[in-house]
């Protein structure tokens, strides 16, 4: 009887439910723009202003009255940061926030593999989605201008074209998981020293040709949903509220419809924050939770001062509506999206992705006498020397520090492969803990560590020195630049001493930056390993053992010495500046553009990387010899694996114009493709170069110009190894 009454009640309730009309902004079947406008029409001025500033270290308000959720952000580009306390940087001590650590973005860039970039974005996006984040604060695409920059490891190298091609699929992957990517740091944040105030001077041409292309691709091709401003100033205005960068270039010229979020503490002025394109202000010197605290959230530049200015008529309500509209748009694209997918966290698929990316990013720099690969049963005793063999490299570095669920060290990976009985480890040197903003020595005696390592090396068949940098202050770390290109903690001396007793020594560097190598001609093999994440030891051992053939290519040049770098050639006013102003005197000649044009030989050129097999290039041709603007050059050639191992090569197509009405670099990368070939296999490879991509930025008309005339296409395995050339004419 009771069940019958219940059935009747349900039937009676159906028409009532059917007749109930939900607001448009809650109707997930409606277009996002309709939902945004409807929500905006229902909000008060106070609610709109509340959207525009932080309420905690990593969140800003939604509209609770309307059921619109808060915006939660998370670091970082290569792993999801642990939860922190509401208004402190200290970890919240959760037990379920340990993530997969993916390789740093220098490693991703070194893969030259856009498919892996998409996989990376999907994987890290799924982890952010599982933790219910709205915005992932990455990727970073600031240009590698100097090897001293402490945050280079977070970025995608020195070439704007490479960074542009790699950032787009990363963004698309993240956002496919229902999480907004946030490309950063917009723009010209190319050093950490004086980052909070240094005023950068750069030509319009260098700005548009070198420092903005990856951001532009992120917006116009990747359709990124958020952008983070930079700490530094550009032409007298901080980049987090810079009218030229945010209003004119980003929002007007590029048509960006997402939100601009400040870097934490990057806002300095209410008038500029209101009028110059900032949408959400985060991290402004907050030390108080309430209005009674010291500089609480209500005192932010885009909080009570903004509201007061609106009420007094000082600020236009249209400006407020634009900010609120952009924030709502991101919320409806993510948290309030009707078909938002579920995430995954520390899954086997993510471990597999991390390992694959790490494998393809490792770069073999030297391999005399085929030192690598090292067969499992060839040697009885392998000495592994160096702190980075066993040190955790996922913690430290500033905002990129991770609480990883696991991390396989290089030492553990080698032991798992070769057996404990064959591996003997000696520290050799030691650094202190990973601290932010300061150094602290470990307290171990350097001479004793070095002596012990040399003794271990004496009796070994081969030595694998695993050193480089770590994520301590003054190394690869936010908040400070390196003090020199040298390896820290007397590693150069240690390598020399080891070589005296065992010449069969290979150097494996784990770092996000180029280092000087005074011993480069004395060791048989060198490998660049980056920060490889949770699967570091497994991926590195895959390459060392030959289970995987190395295919990584350098995403930036390694200079012989610091003074060879373009940013340092012109003295301190070019880098790091005089503490107030800085002038990018090398202009458009950044990285290999500088080395090639000035005919300075680097230690290792951009795009360089060896393999355990060999490749041959042949039959370079274009589909025709003359082109008009708007057309595309179709380039073809034959690539053959002429060695005995399966492997992958990255053909790179550079373009140069010797007789030009403006100064140009000797060559510029315009196309690349990662090609996998079995031993003995050959393939016809095709690359495309739109004629528009050959344009230079004309400062006289503030626009791009394709100059007619003869251009040379150069096909090579690196910027320093050109295999073939062909010319074409543009009418």
């Amino acid at each position: 009887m009771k069940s019958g009454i219940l059935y009747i009640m349900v039937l009676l309730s159906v028409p009532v439910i059917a007749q109930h009309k939900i607001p448009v902004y809650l109707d997930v079947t409606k277009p996002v723009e309709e939902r945004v406008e409807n929500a905006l029409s229902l909000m008060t001025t106070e609610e709109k202003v509340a959207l525009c500033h932080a309420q905690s270290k990593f969140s800003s308000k939604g509209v609770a009255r309307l059921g619109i959720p808060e915006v939660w952000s998370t670091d970082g580009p290569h792993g999801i940061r642990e939860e922190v306390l509401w208004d402190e940087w200290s970890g919240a001590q959760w037990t379920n926030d340990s993530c997969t650590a993916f390789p740093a973005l220098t490693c991703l860039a070194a893969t030259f593999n856009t498919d892996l970039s998409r996989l990376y974005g999907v994987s890290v996006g799924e982890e952010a989605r599982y933790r219910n984040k709205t915005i992932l604060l990455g990727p970073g695409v600031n240009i590698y201008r100097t090897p001293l920059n402490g945050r280079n490891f977070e970025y995608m190298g020195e070439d704007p074209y490479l960074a542009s091609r790699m950032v787009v699929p990363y963004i698309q992957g993240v956002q496919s998981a229902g999480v907004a990517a946030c490309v950063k740091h917009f723009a010209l944040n190319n050093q950490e020293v004086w980052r909070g105030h240094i005023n950068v001077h750069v030509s319009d041409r260098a700005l548009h040709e070198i420092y903005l292309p990856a951001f532009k691709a992120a917006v116009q091709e990747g359709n990124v949903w958020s952008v983070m401003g930079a700490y530094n100033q550009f032409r007298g205005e901080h980049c987090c509220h810079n009218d030229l960068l945010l209003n004119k270039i980003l929002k007007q010229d590029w048509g960006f419809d997402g939100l601009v979020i400040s870097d934490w503490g990057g806002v300095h002025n209410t008038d500029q924050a209101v009028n110059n394109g900032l949408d959400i202000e985060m991290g402004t010197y907050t030390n108080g939770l309430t209005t009674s605290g010291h500089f609480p959230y209500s005192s932010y530049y885009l909080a009570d001062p903004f509201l007061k200015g609106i009420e007094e008529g000082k600020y236009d309500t249209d400006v407020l509506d634009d900010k609120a509209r952009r924030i709502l748009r991101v919320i409806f694209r993510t948290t309030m999206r009707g078909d938002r997918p579920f995430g995954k966290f520390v899954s086997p698929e993510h471990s597999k992705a991390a390992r694959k990316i790490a494998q393809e990013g490792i770069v073999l720099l030297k391999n005399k006498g085929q030192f690598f690969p090292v067969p499992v049963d060839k040697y009885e005793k392998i000495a592994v020397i160096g702190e980075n063999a066993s040190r955790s490299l996922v913690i430290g570095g500033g905002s990129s520090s991770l609480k990883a669920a696991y991390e396989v060290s290089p030492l553990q990976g080698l032991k798992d492969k070769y057996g404990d009985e064959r591996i003997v480890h000696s520290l050799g040197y030691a650094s202190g803990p990973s601290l932010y903003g300061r150094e602290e020595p470990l307290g171990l005696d350097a001479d004793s560590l070095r002596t012990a390592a040399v003794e271990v090396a004496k009796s070994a068949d081969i030595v694998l020195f695993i050193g480089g940098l770590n994520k301590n202050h003054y190394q690869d770390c936010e908040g400070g630049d390196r003090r020199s290109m040298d390896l820290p903690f007397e590693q150069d001396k240690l390598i020399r001493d080891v070589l005296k007793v065992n010449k069969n020594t290979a150097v494996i560097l784990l770092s996000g930056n180029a280092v000087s190598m005074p011993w480069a001609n004395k060791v048989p093999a060198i490998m660049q390993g980056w920060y490889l994440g949770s699967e570091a030891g497994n991926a590195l051992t895959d390459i060392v053992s030959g289970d995987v053939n190395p295919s990584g290519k350098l995403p930036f040049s390694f200079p012989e010495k610091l003074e060879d770098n373009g940013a340092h050639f012109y003295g301190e006013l070019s880098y790091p500046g005089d503490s107030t102003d800085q002038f990018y005197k090398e202009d458009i000649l950044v990285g290999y553009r500088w080395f090639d044009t000035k005919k300075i030989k680097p230690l290792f050129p951009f795009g360089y990387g060896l393999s355990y097999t060999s490749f041959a290039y042949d039959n370079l041709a274009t589909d025709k010899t003359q082109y008009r603007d708007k057309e595309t050059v179709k380039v073809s050639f034959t690539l053959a694996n002429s060695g005995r191992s399966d492997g992958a090569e990255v053909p790179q197509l550079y373009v140069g114009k010797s007789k030009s009405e403006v100064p140009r670099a000797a060559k510029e990368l315009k196309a690349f493709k990662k090609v996998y070939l079995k031993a003995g296999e050959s393939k016809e490879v095709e690359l495309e170069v739109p004629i528009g991509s050959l344009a230079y930025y004309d400062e006289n008309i503030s626009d791009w110009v394709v100059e007619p005339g003869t251009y040379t296409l150069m096909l090579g395995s690196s910027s320093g190894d050109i295999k073939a050339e062909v010319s074409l004419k543009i009418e």
Side-chain angles (χ1 to χ4, degrees):
M1 184 68 179
K2 288 183 179 179
S3 60
I5 295 173
L6 180 61
Y7 179 71
I8 293 171
M9 291 175 65
V10 169
L11 284 177
L12 290 173
S13 68
V14 169
V16 177
I17 294 172
Q19 293 171 9
H20 178 70
K21 188 175 182 180
I22 63 172
V24 171
Y25 75 92
L26 291 177
D27 187 347
V28 297
T29 67
K30 297 291 186 183
V32 166
E33 293 308 307
E34 280 189 39
R35 298 175 67 195
V36 167
E37 294 305 319
N38 179 247
L40 197 65
S41 71
L42 301 173
M43 292 168 59
T44 66
T45 299
E46 290 79 6
E47 287 169 337
K48 294 175 186 177
V49 170
L51 292 177
C52 299
H53 63 87
Q55 65 168 358
S56 75
K57 272 289 183 280
F58 281 98
S59 72
S60 56
K61 287 186 177 181
V63 188
R65 178 179 65 86
L66 299 177
I68 297 173
E70 302 161 325
V71 172
W72 281 89
S73 303
T74 180
D75 291 317
H78 50 270
I80 309 308
R81 185 172 183 154
E82 68 177 318
E83 297 298 331
V84 301
L85 298 174
W86 185 262
D87 192 41
E88 297 177 24
W89 292 112
S90 303
Q93 303 303 311
W94 287 21
T95 58
N96 61 348
D97 60 346
S98 298
C99 69
T100 304
F102 296 93
L105 292 190
T106 42
C107 180
L108 175 62
T111 70
F112 277 67
N113 187 333
T114 54
D115 291 337
L116 281 189
S117 190
R118 168 82 187 197
L119 174 65
Y120 195 126
V122 168
S123 302
V124 74
E126 287 176 342
E127 297 230 341
R129 171 64 186 97
Y130 183 86
R131 292 268 295 280
N132 208 28
K133 304 303 181 183
T134 317
I135 300 175
L136 175 72
L137 301 173
V141 292
N142 294 96
I143 291 296
Y144 188 111
R145 179 175 180 255
T146 163
L148 300 188
N149 182 8
R151 296 189 86 170
N152 277 334
F153 72 96
E154 296 186 48
Y155 305 140
M156 295 188 180
E158 72 186 23
D159 183 71
Y161 179 79
L162 173 63
S164 297
R165 293 307 94 218
M166 296 300 288
V167 74
V168 168
Y170 180 106
I171 289 166
Q172 292 171 338
V174 169
Q175 295 184 169
S176 72
V179 175
C182 182
V183 67
K184 65 183 188 181
H185 305 88
F186 191 64
L188 302 164
N189 186 181
N190 305 307
Q191 66 189 57
E192 289 299 284
V193 61
W194 300 325
R195 67 176 183 174
H197 64 272
I198 195 72
N199 185 30
V200 175
H201 299 264
V202 64
S203 72
D204 281 344
R205 188 174 172 206
L207 177 71
H208 287 275
E209 291 189 18
I210 303 297
Y211 298 103
L212 293 187
F215 289 103
K216 185 177 183 180
V219 171
Q220 295 192 331
E221 297 177 58
N223 296 312
V224 72
W225 294 336
S226 62
V227 170
M228 181 187 288
Y231 280 124
N232 53 285
Q233 296 184 70
F234 172 53
R235 297 180 184 171
E237 285 185 345
H238 279 91
C239 292
C240 284
H241 36 77
N242 187 290
D243 184 55
L244 174 60
L245 288 176
L246 302 181
N247 281 337
K248 186 179 187 306
I249 294 175
L250 179 64
K251 294 182 175 179
Q252 179 182 316
D253 294 351
W254 296 351
F256 175 64
D257 69 356
L259 66 85
V260 174
I261 189 170
S262 75
D263 207 339
W264 272 233
V267 183
H268 304 270
N269 179 286
T270 293
D271 287 349
Q272 291 184 9
V274 170
N275 294 314
N276 289 1
L278 179 66
D279 299 311
I280 297 182
E281 174 189 2
M282 297 297 295
T284 304
Y285 322 118
T286 309
N287 291 310
L289 292 172
T290 68
T291 52
S292 62
H294 173 64
F295 205 87
Y297 294 103
S298 58
S299 296
Y300 272 32
Y301 297 105
L302 287 184
D304 287 351
F306 186 18
L307 179 60
K308 182 180 179 183
I310 290 285
E311 292 171 343
E312 294 176 349
K314 181 180 181 181
Y315 303 129
D316 195 326
T317 55
D318 287 346
V319 174
L320 172 61
D321 284 349
D322 181 69
K323 296 181 192 299
R325 188 177 284 113
R326 291 172 179 276
I327 296 165
L328 289 170
R329 190 175 288 129
V330 169
I331 292 172
F332 289 135
R333 285 170 169 168
T334 56
T335 320
M336 295 185 73
R337 171 177 156 185
D339 59 347
R340 194 184 194 198
F342 295 101
K344 290 186 288 189
F345 202 60
V346 198
S347 68
E349 294 87 354
H350 293 170
S351 295
K352 183 178 179 181
R355 185 168 181 168
K356 177 67 172 173
I357 294 160
Q359 289 169 347
E360 289 206 20
I362 293 170
V363 184
L364 183 60
L365 297 177
K366 183 178 181 180
N367 197 26
K368 185 178 180 181
Q370 295 183 320
F371 182 99
F372 292 120
V374 178
V376 170
D377 297 323
K378 185 175 181 178
Y379 301 111
E380 290 298 318
K381 184 176 181 181
I382 301 173
V384 178
I385 293 173
E387 185 186 49
N388 278 359
S390 56
R391 180 188 177 95
S392 174
L393 294 175
V394 301
I395 61 172
S399 61
S400 69
S401 186
L402 297 174
K403 178 181 173 183
Y406 72 97
E407 180 183 10
V408 180
S409 70
L411 180 61
Q412 187 59 54
L414 291 167
K415 284 184 175 181
D416 291 344
K417 185 68 176 179
Y418 294 93
D420 279 352
E421 70 280 2
R422 283 192 168 93
I423 301 291
V424 57
H425 176 234
S426 186
L427 204 57
Y429 71 94
S431 61
S434 296
L435 303 172
Y436 185 78
R438 71 185 195 279
E439 286 183 303
E440 186 176 301
L442 194 59
L444 299 178
D445 183 73
D447 290 338
S448 298
L449 292 173
R450 187 165 54 251
T451 299
V454 171
E455 285 300 312
V456 167
K458 278 182 183 178
S459 59
D461 296 310
I462 64 168
V463 177
L464 300 179
F465 177 85
I466 304 179
L469 305 176
N470 60 40
K471 293 162 81 175
N472 286 9
H473 192 52
Y474 295 133
Q475 295 188 59
D476 285 326
C477 184
E478 179 183 0
D481 284 351
R482 299 166 65 196
R483 290 172 289 194
S484 79
M485 260 187 66
D486 296 338
L487 286 171
F489 311 110
E490 298 187 309
Q491 291 179 70
D492 291 332
K493 179 175 173 54
L494 173 59
I495 293 170
R496 286 195 299 267
D497 288 352
V498 168
L499 284 169
K500 289 176 183 177
V501 300
N502 195 328
K503 296 189 181 303
N504 210 16
T505 296
V507 174
I508 299 172
L509 297 169
L510 303 181
S511 74
N513 256 312
V515 301
S516 58
M517 302 183 194
W519 33 261
N521 292 330
K522 299 176 182 177
V523 298
I526 305 170
M527 195 176 284
Q528 176 62 38
W530 319 113
Y531 299 120
L532 299 174
S534 288
E535 290 287 325
N538 291 331
L540 192 62
T541 302
D542 290 336
I543 300 295
V544 169
S545 67
D547 287 350
V548 174
N549 196 342
S551 61
K553 301 283 188 174
L554 290 180
F556 50 81
S557 311
F558 275 52
E560 285 271 5
K561 57 184 183 298
L562 187 61
E563 294 75 20
D564 288 347
N565 177 274
H568 295 269
F569 180 83
Y570 293 101
E572 291 188 2
L573 199 54
S574 182
Y575 174 88
D578 63 4
S579 86
T580 301
D581 292 287
Q582 178 184 25
F583 296 83
Y584 285 17
K585 293 188 176 185
E586 76 281 11
D587 200 51
I588 63 168
L589 299 182
V590 177
Y592 69 89
R593 288 167 167 80
W594 169 266
F595 290 103
D596 291 348
T597 306
K598 299 296 184 179
K599 294 181 169 54
I600 300 171
K601 184 176 172 56
L603 181 62
F604 296 107
F606 171 84
Y608 175 83
L610 301 176
S611 170
Y612 296 152
T613 190
S614 55
F615 298 94
Y617 293 72
D618 200 7
N619 302 322
L620 174 64
T622 56
D623 59 330
K624 55 184 184 177
T625 57
Q626 287 192 320
Y627 298 85
R628 296 178 181 272
D629 198 3
K630 310 297 185 187
E631 290 187 321
T632 295
V633 183
K634 295 182 179 179
V635 181
S636 63
F637 57 94
T638 303
L639 181 68
N641 182 340
S642 52
R644 299 179 180 178
S645 305
D646 299 348
E649 170 68 324
V650 182
Q652 301 154 44
L653 190 66
Y654 297 85
V655 178
K657 191 177 193 305
S658 57
K659 295 180 180 179
S660 176
E661 59 195 26
V662 295
R664 288 182 182 256
K667 65 173 75 78
E668 298 178 351
L669 182 69
K670 295 300 178 184
F672 64 85
K673 180 183 288 187
K674 195 154 202 174
V675 182
Y676 297 86
L677 295 170
K678 293 186 178 297
E681 183 185 7
S682 64
K683 282 183 181 178
E684 187 82 3
V685 181
E686 293 186 352
L687 298 173
E688 293 188 349
V689 180
I691 293 298
S693 72
L694 306 182
Y696 71 88
Y697 190 83
D698 189 337
E699 296 180 338
N700 295 317
I701 61 173
S702 299
D703 204 355
W704 295 88
V705 173
V706 176
E707 184 182 3
T710 301
Y711 290 75
T712 302
L713 275 59
M714 294 163 269
L715 179 66
S717 62
S718 76
S719 62
D721 186 11
I722 300 302
K723 307 290 188 180
E725 297 183 0
V726 65
S727 295
L728 60 83
K729 287 186 178 180
I730 299 177
E731 298 177 353

